[in-house]
Amino acid sequence: MLRSAGFAALMLFVLTGNPSAVFGQTSEAPIVRVEEDWVAYIRNPDENVAAPQLVHVISPLKHLDGPYGLIEFNHRSQPSFQEGGFQVQSWQGDDPYDHRTSAETNLLDSNYDKLTYTIAMETDGSQLKFTLKDGRSRSWGRFAHSGVTAVAPAVGSDLRDYSPDFSAAKTTVNVGAHRAEIVYMKAARYYSSEGLVREDLTPRVLHRYLELIQFVSLEEYEANADYFNIDITEAP
């Protein structure tokens, strides 16, 4: 299937990447809010099986034994499975705690769609808020513009143990991964009660479809074979 030169160039840029850049100075003030900016390129969604299905995880800790947020795209699993739209959930270990479902319930249906969105986590010391906001998509237009939020009990008043690497490691394309070109975290931001503390612009690529190796030299592929070969779940 043909793709635009601009799209291919962007894929190459994301794969090779620029050196990581972190702006701002470390502060001793408690971190009360973090935000992640995400980009997902969907090559050819399949409405017959609601594929692909993307699931994000964000946690105040580097494990899932306590509270964490889960954001589902192109499906909603609480309290029972439904196709389309998106859902923001909070969990306490293995137990669901809260969920909020999108007003948008359509399936992703545009080839070469680009989803951009922000996932936020905030604490006031007693409650955690997990929010999806500022979404844009060819299939859905603007979504979660004012924010869709699920809550959970907080584990403290400081989010210093949050890790964007943990978010990227736990986020997956569960069904139809071959229909997603690439999914990556573009930026992570840390806020104190006084405002922005620092911004991490390290691109964290959690998924790339195997065909993207066509943009990589043989030498680079052979030197980083584990990086370019991923386990994917195929939809029927």
Side-chain angles (χ1 to χ4, degrees):
M1 181 179 292
L2 295 177
R3 68 189 76 192
S4 69
F7 190 90
L10 178 57
M11 294 300 97
L12 177 59
F13 168 79
V14 172
L15 283 175
T16 57
N18 283 333
S20 63
V22 180
F23 297 94
Q25 300 298 317
T26 301
S27 170
E28 295 303 321
I31 300 300
V32 299
R33 180 180 177 86
V34 294
E35 294 183 347
E36 302 172 348
D37 293 339
W38 285 89
V39 180
Y41 282 90
I42 309 301
R43 184 205 303 190
N44 54 341
D46 186 346
E47 294 179 83
N48 295 318
V49 291
Q53 295 173 13
L54 176 61
V55 181
H56 282 276
V57 173
I58 185 169
S59 172
L61 307 169
K62 298 181 186 69
H63 58 73
L64 302 180
D65 295 331
Y68 62 92
L70 191 150
I71 298 91
E72 298 176 332
F73 286 93
N74 212 29
H75 69 296
R76 294 152 286 152
S77 64
Q78 293 295 325
S80 59
F81 182 84
Q82 293 179 296
E83 296 180 345
F86 61 85
Q87 190 173 72
V88 181
Q89 304 171 7
S90 65
W91 287 70
Q92 285 274 46
D94 295 331
D95 300 317
Y97 187 87
D98 185 28
H99 67 271
R100 293 292 183 270
T101 300
S102 63
E104 172 63 69
T105 59
N106 290 337
L107 291 160
L108 294 174
D109 60 6
S110 296
N111 288 338
Y112 291 95
D113 201 349
K114 177 185 179 182
L115 279 69
T116 60
Y117 45 91
T118 297
I119 295 172
M121 178 173 59
E122 186 173 7
T123 183
D124 62 6
S126 61
Q127 187 180 70
L128 277 170
K129 294 181 179 179
F130 304 102
T131 301
L132 174 67
K133 66 173 189 172
D134 299 332
R136 295 191 70 90
S137 164
R138 291 180 63 194
S139 296
W140 294 341
R142 296 175 69 180
F143 62 91
H145 180 59
S146 58
V148 177
T149 300
V151 301
V155 291
S157 57
D158 196 338
L159 298 177
R160 282 191 187 280
D161 288 335
Y162 155 81
S163 168
D165 293 324
F166 185 82
S167 295
K170 293 299 181 181
T171 296
T172 60
V173 186
N174 276 349
V175 175
H178 63 298
R179 299 185 179 279
E181 287 279 3
I182 197 164
V183 182
Y184 69 100
M185 187 191 302
K186 184 178 180 181
R189 290 180 295 278
Y190 300 74
Y191 296 85
S192 71
S193 59
E194 300 299 318
L196 180 65
V197 173
R198 64 185 181 274
E199 184 175 33
D200 181 347
L201 300 180
T202 305
R204 292 173 169 86
V205 180
L206 71 94
H207 170 79
R208 64 187 55 77
Y209 181 50
L210 292 178
E211 283 190 7
L212 290 177
I213 64 174
Q214 66 184 288
F215 300 122
V216 178
S217 70
L218 181 59
E219 292 78 11
E220 183 177 358
Y221 173 79
E222 291 181 343
N224 302 279
D226 291 341
Y227 181 76
F228 293 108
N229 286 278
I230 59 172
D231 293 328
I232 62 175
T233 302
E234 300 284 358

mmCIF file of all heavy atoms in Angstrom, residues 94-135:
data_model
loop_
_atom_site.group_PDB
_atom_site.id
_atom_site.type_symbol
_atom_site.label_atom_id
_atom_site.label_comp_id
_atom_site.label_asym_id
_atom_site.label_seq_id
_atom_site.Cartn_x
_atom_site.Cartn_y
_atom_site.Cartn_z
ATOM 1 N N ASP A 94 -5.909 -5.701 41.390
ATOM 2 C CA ASP A 94 -6.685 -6.486 40.426
ATOM 3 C C ASP A 94 -8.161 -6.095 40.377
ATOM 4 O O ASP A 94 -8.931 -6.698 39.624
ATOM 5 C CB ASP A 94 -6.593 -7.981 40.773
ATOM 6 C CG ASP A 94 -5.179 -8.526 40.621
ATOM 7 O OD1 ASP A 94 -4.431 -7.985 39.785
ATOM 8 O OD2 ASP A 94 -4.836 -9.484 41.341
ATOM 9 N N ASP A 95 -8.566 -5.098 41.159
ATOM 10 C CA ASP A 95 -9.981 -4.762 41.285
ATOM 11 C C ASP A 95 -10.315 -3.426 40.631
ATOM 12 O O ASP A 95 -9.663 -2.414 40.919
ATOM 13 C CB ASP A 95 -10.390 -4.705 42.757
ATOM 14 C CG ASP A 95 -10.164 -6.029 43.467
ATOM 15 O OD1 ASP A 95 -10.484 -7.073 42.869
ATOM 16 O OD2 ASP A 95 -9.670 -6.005 44.617
ATOM 17 N N PRO A 96 -11.332 -3.388 39.762
ATOM 18 C CA PRO A 96 -11.757 -2.108 39.197
ATOM 19 C C PRO A 96 -12.358 -1.224 40.284
ATOM 20 O O PRO A 96 -13.036 -1.698 41.190
ATOM 21 C CB PRO A 96 -12.814 -2.517 38.161
ATOM 22 C CG PRO A 96 -13.302 -3.851 38.613
ATOM 23 C CD PRO A 96 -12.146 -4.525 39.283
ATOM 24 N N TYR A 97 -12.102 0.090 40.193
ATOM 25 C CA TYR A 97 -12.575 1.028 41.208
ATOM 26 C C TYR A 97 -13.583 2.027 40.634
ATOM 27 O O TYR A 97 -14.623 2.268 41.210
ATOM 28 C CB TYR A 97 -11.384 1.763 41.820
ATOM 29 C CG TYR A 97 -11.742 2.640 42.999
ATOM 30 C CD1 TYR A 97 -11.790 2.105 44.287
ATOM 31 C CD2 TYR A 97 -12.034 3.996 42.835
ATOM 32 C CE1 TYR A 97 -12.120 2.892 45.374
ATOM 33 C CE2 TYR A 97 -12.367 4.795 43.910
ATOM 34 C CZ TYR A 97 -12.409 4.236 45.182
ATOM 35 O OH TYR A 97 -12.750 5.026 46.250
ATOM 36 N N ASP A 98 -13.260 2.620 39.486
ATOM 37 C CA ASP A 98 -14.120 3.654 38.898
ATOM 38 C C ASP A 98 -13.914 3.630 37.387
ATOM 39 O O ASP A 98 -12.864 3.196 36.894
ATOM 40 C CB ASP A 98 -13.740 5.021 39.470
ATOM 41 C CG ASP A 98 -14.661 6.160 38.997
ATOM 42 O OD1 ASP A 98 -15.846 5.879 38.693
ATOM 43 O OD2 ASP A 98 -14.188 7.309 38.932
ATOM 44 N N HIS A 99 -14.900 4.085 36.652
ATOM 45 C CA HIS A 99 -14.720 4.225 35.204
ATOM 46 C C HIS A 99 -15.632 5.315 34.654
ATOM 47 O O HIS A 99 -16.703 5.563 35.205
ATOM 48 C CB HIS A 99 -14.977 2.897 34.467
ATOM 49 C CG HIS A 99 -16.395 2.426 34.515
ATOM 50 N ND1 HIS A 99 -16.887 1.628 35.532
ATOM 51 C CD2 HIS A 99 -17.436 2.627 33.659
ATOM 52 C CE1 HIS A 99 -18.158 1.363 35.313
ATOM 53 N NE2 HIS A 99 -18.517 1.952 34.173
ATOM 54 N N ARG A 100 -15.162 5.941 33.586
ATOM 55 C CA ARG A 100 -15.936 6.946 32.875
ATOM 56 C C ARG A 100 -15.834 6.652 31.388
ATOM 57 O O ARG A 100 -14.745 6.446 30.859
ATOM 58 C CB ARG A 100 -15.411 8.354 33.164
ATOM 59 C CG ARG A 100 -15.620 8.798 34.613
ATOM 60 C CD ARG A 100 -17.101 8.998 34.917
ATOM 61 N NE ARG A 100 -17.317 9.487 36.280
ATOM 62 C CZ ARG A 100 -17.500 8.718 37.335
ATOM 63 N NH1 ARG A 100 -17.470 7.393 37.199
ATOM 64 N NH2 ARG A 100 -17.695 9.232 38.529
ATOM 65 N N THR A 101 -16.984 6.644 30.730
ATOM 66 C CA THR A 101 -17.060 6.239 29.323
ATOM 67 C C THR A 101 -17.285 7.451 28.433
ATOM 68 O O THR A 101 -17.986 8.397 28.806
ATOM 69 C CB THR A 101 -18.200 5.225 29.128
ATOM 70 O OG1 THR A 101 -17.939 4.083 29.946
ATOM 71 C CG2 THR A 101 -18.304 4.790 27.678
ATOM 72 N N SER A 102 -16.703 7.414 27.243
ATOM 73 C CA SER A 102 -16.808 8.525 26.306
ATOM 74 C C SER A 102 -18.219 8.673 25.766
ATOM 75 O O SER A 102 -18.975 7.705 25.652
ATOM 76 C CB SER A 102 -15.864 8.300 25.129
ATOM 77 O OG SER A 102 -16.238 7.136 24.399
ATOM 78 N N ALA A 103 -18.561 9.903 25.432
ATOM 79 C CA ALA A 103 -19.792 10.137 24.689
ATOM 80 C C ALA A 103 -19.627 9.621 23.258
ATOM 81 O O ALA A 103 -20.590 9.173 22.631
ATOM 82 C CB ALA A 103 -20.120 11.621 24.679
ATOM 83 N N GLU A 104 -18.403 9.639 22.754
ATOM 84 C CA GLU A 104 -18.081 9.101 21.432
ATOM 85 C C GLU A 104 -17.992 7.583 21.520
ATOM 86 O O GLU A 104 -17.183 7.037 22.268
ATOM 87 C CB GLU A 104 -16.739 9.667 20.959
ATOM 88 C CG GLU A 104 -16.196 9.052 19.683
ATOM 89 C CD GLU A 104 -17.110 9.303 18.516
ATOM 90 O OE1 GLU A 104 -17.214 10.462 18.092
ATOM 91 O OE2 GLU A 104 -17.731 8.332 18.056
ATOM 92 N N THR A 105 -18.851 6.897 20.780
ATOM 93 C CA THR A 105 -18.851 5.436 20.820
ATOM 94 C C THR A 105 -18.576 4.817 19.455
ATOM 95 O O THR A 105 -18.649 3.595 19.306
ATOM 96 C CB THR A 105 -20.194 4.904 21.356
ATOM 97 O OG1 THR A 105 -21.266 5.366 20.515
ATOM 98 C CG2 THR A 105 -20.429 5.379 22.788
ATOM 99 N N ASN A 106 -18.275 5.646 18.454
ATOM 100 C CA ASN A 106 -17.994 5.119 17.124
ATOM 101 C C ASN A 106 -16.672 4.368 17.113
ATOM 102 O O ASN A 106 -15.775 4.598 17.934
ATOM 103 C CB ASN A 106 -17.933 6.254 16.094
ATOM 104 C CG ASN A 106 -19.283 6.872 15.837
ATOM 105 O OD1 ASN A 106 -20.314 6.242 16.068
ATOM 106 N ND2 ASN A 106 -19.295 8.109 15.377
ATOM 107 N N LEU A 107 -16.532 3.489 16.146
ATOM 108 C CA LEU A 107 -15.280 2.777 15.929
ATOM 109 C C LEU A 107 -14.308 3.656 15.151
ATOM 110 O O LEU A 107 -14.725 4.516 14.361
ATOM 111 C CB LEU A 107 -15.540 1.487 15.148
ATOM 112 C CG LEU A 107 -16.299 0.386 15.882
ATOM 113 C CD1 LEU A 107 -16.905 -0.585 14.890
ATOM 114 C CD2 LEU A 107 -15.366 -0.346 16.834
ATOM 115 N N LEU A 108 -13.016 3.452 15.363
ATOM 116 C CA LEU A 108 -12.030 4.066 14.484
ATOM 117 C C LEU A 108 -12.248 3.512 13.081
ATOM 118 O O LEU A 108 -12.330 2.290 12.891
ATOM 119 C CB LEU A 108 -10.617 3.744 14.965
ATOM 120 C CG LEU A 108 -10.205 4.335 16.316
ATOM 121 C CD1 LEU A 108 -8.834 3.810 16.731
ATOM 122 C CD2 LEU A 108 -10.195 5.855 16.268
ATOM 123 N N ASP A 109 -12.354 4.398 12.085
ATOM 124 C CA ASP A 109 -12.701 3.927 10.746
ATOM 125 C C ASP A 109 -11.943 4.626 9.626
ATOM 126 O O ASP A 109 -12.210 4.372 8.448
ATOM 127 C CB ASP A 109 -14.208 4.075 10.509
ATOM 128 C CG ASP A 109 -14.690 5.521 10.622
ATOM 129 O OD1 ASP A 109 -13.850 6.432 10.772
ATOM 130 O OD2 ASP A 109 -15.918 5.742 10.560
ATOM 131 N N SER A 110 -10.992 5.493 9.953
ATOM 132 C CA SER A 110 -10.253 6.229 8.926
ATOM 133 C C SER A 110 -8.873 5.628 8.721
ATOM 134 O O SER A 110 -8.101 5.476 9.687
ATOM 135 C CB SER A 110 -10.104 7.700 9.326
ATOM 136 O OG SER A 110 -11.360 8.332 9.397
ATOM 137 N N ASN A 111 -8.553 5.273 7.488
ATOM 138 C CA ASN A 111 -7.209 4.801 7.185
ATOM 139 C C ASN A 111 -6.203 5.922 7.399
ATOM 140 O O ASN A 111 -6.485 7.095 7.168
ATOM 141 C CB ASN A 111 -7.121 4.306 5.745
ATOM 142 C CG ASN A 111 -7.850 2.993 5.545
ATOM 143 O OD1 ASN A 111 -8.075 2.243 6.493
ATOM 144 N ND2 ASN A 111 -8.227 2.701 4.309
ATOM 145 N N TYR A 112 -5.013 5.549 7.840
ATOM 146 C CA TYR A 112 -3.951 6.501 8.142
ATOM 147 C C TYR A 112 -4.448 7.606 9.057
ATOM 148 O O TYR A 112 -4.247 8.791 8.826
ATOM 149 C CB TYR A 112 -3.318 7.047 6.861
ATOM 150 C CG TYR A 112 -2.542 5.972 6.144
ATOM 151 C CD1 TYR A 112 -3.123 5.243 5.121
ATOM 152 C CD2 TYR A 112 -1.256 5.655 6.552
ATOM 153 C CE1 TYR A 112 -2.425 4.208 4.512
ATOM 154 C CE2 TYR A 112 -0.551 4.633 5.937
ATOM 155 C CZ TYR A 112 -1.144 3.914 4.919
ATOM 156 O OH TYR A 112 -0.454 2.893 4.327
ATOM 157 N N ASP A 113 -5.114 7.174 10.108
ATOM 158 C CA ASP A 113 -5.586 8.096 11.136
ATOM 159 C C ASP A 113 -4.416 8.474 12.032
ATOM 160 O O ASP A 113 -3.467 7.706 12.206
ATOM 161 C CB ASP A 113 -6.685 7.429 11.970
ATOM 162 C CG ASP A 113 -7.568 8.438 12.690
ATOM 163 O OD1 ASP A 113 -7.201 9.633 12.703
ATOM 164 O OD2 ASP A 113 -8.606 8.032 13.225
ATOM 165 N N LYS A 114 -4.496 9.654 12.596
ATOM 166 C CA LYS A 114 -3.515 10.116 13.573
ATOM 167 C C LYS A 114 -4.264 10.521 14.832
ATOM 168 O O LYS A 114 -5.073 11.447 14.805
ATOM 169 C CB LYS A 114 -2.706 11.298 13.035
ATOM 170 C CG LYS A 114 -1.717 11.873 14.058
ATOM 171 C CD LYS A 114 -1.026 13.116 13.506
ATOM 172 C CE LYS A 114 -0.058 13.699 14.530
ATOM 173 N NZ LYS A 114 0.584 14.944 14.021
ATOM 174 N N LEU A 115 -4.007 9.815 15.932
ATOM 175 C CA LEU A 115 -4.586 10.162 17.216
ATOM 176 C C LEU A 115 -3.540 10.902 18.043
ATOM 177 O O LEU A 115 -2.403 10.427 18.177
ATOM 178 C CB LEU A 115 -5.034 8.926 17.987
ATOM 179 C CG LEU A 115 -6.382 8.292 17.624
ATOM 180 C CD1 LEU A 115 -6.334 7.648 16.253
ATOM 181 C CD2 LEU A 115 -6.789 7.273 18.682
ATOM 182 N N THR A 116 -3.894 12.063 18.564
ATOM 183 C CA THR A 116 -3.056 12.774 19.523
ATOM 184 C C THR A 116 -3.907 13.036 20.758
ATOM 185 O O THR A 116 -5.083 13.366 20.651
ATOM 186 C CB THR A 116 -2.529 14.100 18.962
ATOM 187 O OG1 THR A 116 -3.628 14.954 18.609
ATOM 188 C CG2 THR A 116 -1.662 13.859 17.726
ATOM 189 N N TYR A 117 -3.313 12.880 21.946
ATOM 190 C CA TYR A 117 -4.079 13.023 23.176
ATOM 191 C C TYR A 117 -3.117 13.149 24.344
ATOM 192 O O TYR A 117 -1.924 12.830 24.244
ATOM 193 C CB TYR A 117 -5.006 11.822 23.386
ATOM 194 C CG TYR A 117 -4.357 10.483 23.141
ATOM 195 C CD1 TYR A 117 -3.746 9.774 24.172
ATOM 196 C CD2 TYR A 117 -4.328 9.932 21.860
ATOM 197 C CE1 TYR A 117 -3.133 8.554 23.937
ATOM 198 C CE2 TYR A 117 -3.710 8.714 21.619
ATOM 199 C CZ TYR A 117 -3.120 8.033 22.652
ATOM 200 O OH TYR A 117 -2.500 6.826 22.417
ATOM 201 N N THR A 118 -3.649 13.616 25.458
ATOM 202 C CA THR A 118 -2.879 13.775 26.684
ATOM 203 C C THR A 118 -3.514 12.959 27.796
ATOM 204 O O THR A 118 -4.732 12.975 27.970
ATOM 205 C CB THR A 118 -2.805 15.256 27.104
ATOM 206 O OG1 THR A 118 -2.101 15.994 26.094
ATOM 207 C CG2 THR A 118 -2.089 15.421 28.439
ATOM 208 N N ILE A 119 -2.674 12.231 28.526
ATOM 209 C CA ILE A 119 -3.101 11.467 29.699
ATOM 210 C C ILE A 119 -2.482 12.129 30.923
ATOM 211 O O ILE A 119 -1.265 12.354 30.964
ATOM 212 C CB ILE A 119 -2.672 9.999 29.590
ATOM 213 C CG1 ILE A 119 -3.394 9.334 28.418
ATOM 214 C CG2 ILE A 119 -2.951 9.246 30.888
ATOM 215 C CD1 ILE A 119 -2.894 7.940 28.099
ATOM 216 N N ALA A 120 -3.316 12.452 31.912
ATOM 217 C CA ALA A 120 -2.851 13.155 33.100
ATOM 218 C C ALA A 120 -3.175 12.361 34.352
ATOM 219 O O ALA A 120 -4.154 11.609 34.402
ATOM 220 C CB ALA A 120 -3.493 14.542 33.186
ATOM 221 N N MET A 121 -2.342 12.543 35.372
ATOM 222 C CA MET A 121 -2.576 11.964 36.698
ATOM 223 C C MET A 121 -2.310 13.058 37.723
ATOM 224 O O MET A 121 -1.298 13.753 37.656
ATOM 225 C CB MET A 121 -1.666 10.761 36.930
ATOM 226 C CG MET A 121 -1.789 10.115 38.300
ATOM 227 S SD MET A 121 -0.819 8.570 38.442
ATOM 228 C CE MET A 121 0.855 9.173 38.082
ATOM 229 N N GLU A 122 -3.219 13.198 38.682
ATOM 230 C CA GLU A 122 -3.123 14.291 39.652
ATOM 231 C C GLU A 122 -3.513 13.792 41.035
ATOM 232 O O GLU A 122 -4.393 12.934 41.171
ATOM 233 C CB GLU A 122 -4.043 15.434 39.230
ATOM 234 C CG GLU A 122 -3.943 16.685 40.063
ATOM 235 C CD GLU A 122 -4.751 17.835 39.487
ATOM 236 O OE1 GLU A 122 -5.487 17.601 38.504
ATOM 237 O OE2 GLU A 122 -4.645 18.954 40.016
ATOM 238 N N THR A 123 -2.860 14.334 42.060
ATOM 239 C CA THR A 123 -3.196 13.964 43.436
ATOM 240 C C THR A 123 -3.414 15.210 44.278
ATOM 241 O O THR A 123 -2.753 16.236 44.080
ATOM 242 C CB THR A 123 -2.088 13.106 44.075
ATOM 243 O OG1 THR A 123 -2.490 12.716 45.391
ATOM 244 C CG2 THR A 123 -0.769 13.862 44.156
ATOM 245 N N ASP A 124 -4.363 15.124 45.224
ATOM 246 C CA ASP A 124 -4.538 16.179 46.222
ATOM 247 C C ASP A 124 -4.220 15.654 47.618
ATOM 248 O O ASP A 124 -4.524 16.298 48.620
ATOM 249 C CB ASP A 124 -5.955 16.751 46.171
ATOM 250 C CG ASP A 124 -7.034 15.719 46.489
ATOM 251 O OD1 ASP A 124 -6.685 14.571 46.856
ATOM 252 O OD2 ASP A 124 -8.223 16.052 46.366
ATOM 253 N N GLY A 125 -3.612 14.471 47.670
ATOM 254 C CA GLY A 125 -3.262 13.859 48.932
ATOM 255 C C GLY A 125 -4.257 12.830 49.409
ATOM 256 O O GLY A 125 -3.907 11.915 50.163
ATOM 257 N N SER A 126 -5.507 12.962 48.984
ATOM 258 C CA SER A 126 -6.530 11.999 49.378
ATOM 259 C C SER A 126 -7.133 11.271 48.182
ATOM 260 O O SER A 126 -7.656 10.167 48.330
ATOM 261 C CB SER A 126 -7.654 12.690 50.154
ATOM 262 O OG SER A 126 -8.290 13.675 49.353
ATOM 263 N N GLN A 127 -7.037 11.868 47.008
ATOM 264 C CA GLN A 127 -7.651 11.284 45.817
ATOM 265 C C GLN A 127 -6.724 11.423 44.623
ATOM 266 O O GLN A 127 -6.053 12.447 44.456
ATOM 267 C CB GLN A 127 -8.987 11.981 45.522
ATOM 268 C CG GLN A 127 -9.794 11.355 44.406
ATOM 269 C CD GLN A 127 -11.105 12.106 44.182
ATOM 270 O OE1 GLN A 127 -11.126 13.233 43.698
ATOM 271 N NE2 GLN A 127 -12.208 11.469 44.562
ATOM 272 N N LEU A 128 -6.676 10.362 43.812
ATOM 273 C CA LEU A 128 -5.997 10.398 42.528
ATOM 274 C C LEU A 128 -7.019 10.617 41.425
ATOM 275 O O LEU A 128 -8.114 10.050 41.470
ATOM 276 C CB LEU A 128 -5.261 9.083 42.267
ATOM 277 C CG LEU A 128 -3.873 8.880 42.866
ATOM 278 C CD1 LEU A 128 -3.459 7.430 42.694
ATOM 279 C CD2 LEU A 128 -2.853 9.805 42.216
ATOM 280 N N LYS A 129 -6.650 11.413 40.433
ATOM 281 C CA LYS A 129 -7.483 11.609 39.261
ATOM 282 C C LYS A 129 -6.697 11.175 38.029
ATOM 283 O O LYS A 129 -5.563 11.615 37.825
ATOM 284 C CB LYS A 129 -7.900 13.074 39.120
ATOM 285 C CG LYS A 129 -8.809 13.577 40.219
ATOM 286 C CD LYS A 129 -9.196 15.029 39.972
ATOM 287 C CE LYS A 129 -10.132 15.553 41.042
ATOM 288 N NZ LYS A 129 -10.494 16.977 40.811
ATOM 289 N N PHE A 130 -7.305 10.338 37.212
ATOM 290 C CA PHE A 130 -6.734 9.907 35.944
ATOM 291 C C PHE A 130 -7.596 10.497 34.830
ATOM 292 O O PHE A 130 -8.806 10.246 34.789
ATOM 293 C CB PHE A 130 -6.711 8.391 35.844
ATOM 294 C CG PHE A 130 -5.976 7.729 36.976
ATOM 295 C CD1 PHE A 130 -6.671 7.133 38.018
ATOM 296 C CD2 PHE A 130 -4.587 7.697 37.011
ATOM 297 C CE1 PHE A 130 -6.010 6.517 39.063
ATOM 298 C CE2 PHE A 130 -3.909 7.085 38.053
ATOM 299 C CZ PHE A 130 -4.625 6.496 39.088
ATOM 300 N N THR A 131 -6.989 11.267 33.948
ATOM 301 C CA THR A 131 -7.752 12.042 32.967
ATOM 302 C C THR A 131 -7.213 11.855 31.561
ATOM 303 O O THR A 131 -5.997 11.902 31.345
ATOM 304 C CB THR A 131 -7.730 13.541 33.322
ATOM 305 O OG1 THR A 131 -8.287 13.732 34.620
ATOM 306 C CG2 THR A 131 -8.526 14.357 32.315
ATOM 307 N N LEU A 132 -8.111 11.660 30.616
ATOM 308 C CA LEU A 132 -7.807 11.730 29.192
ATOM 309 C C LEU A 132 -8.347 13.058 28.686
ATOM 310 O O LEU A 132 -9.507 13.401 28.957
ATOM 311 C CB LEU A 132 -8.456 10.572 28.442
ATOM 312 C CG LEU A 132 -8.337 10.596 26.917
ATOM 313 C CD1 LEU A 132 -6.895 10.405 26.472
ATOM 314 C CD2 LEU A 132 -9.247 9.552 26.280
ATOM 315 N N LYS A 133 -7.527 13.808 27.943
ATOM 316 C CA LYS A 133 -7.974 15.123 27.493
ATOM 317 C C LYS A 133 -7.313 15.503 26.173
ATOM 318 O O LYS A 133 -6.346 14.871 25.732
ATOM 319 C CB LYS A 133 -7.674 16.192 28.545
ATOM 320 C CG LYS A 133 -6.187 16.438 28.778
ATOM 321 C CD LYS A 133 -5.972 17.616 29.710
ATOM 322 C CE LYS A 133 -4.505 18.010 29.778
ATOM 323 N NZ LYS A 133 -4.300 19.261 30.525
ATOM 324 N N ASP A 134 -7.882 16.537 25.544
ATOM 325 C CA ASP A 134 -7.295 17.182 24.363
ATOM 326 C C ASP A 134 -7.002 16.209 23.232
ATOM 327 O O ASP A 134 -5.937 16.257 22.607
ATOM 328 C CB ASP A 134 -6.009 17.931 24.754
ATOM 329 C CG ASP A 134 -6.259 19.034 25.762
ATOM 330 O OD1 ASP A 134 -7.388 19.572 25.766
ATOM 331 O OD2 ASP A 134 -5.349 19.357 26.539
ATOM 332 N N GLY A 135 -7.954 15.312 22.947
ATOM 333 C CA GLY A 135 -7.764 14.342 21.878
ATOM 334 C C GLY A 135 -8.166 14.877 20.524
ATOM 335 O O GLY A 135 -9.089 15.694 20.401
#
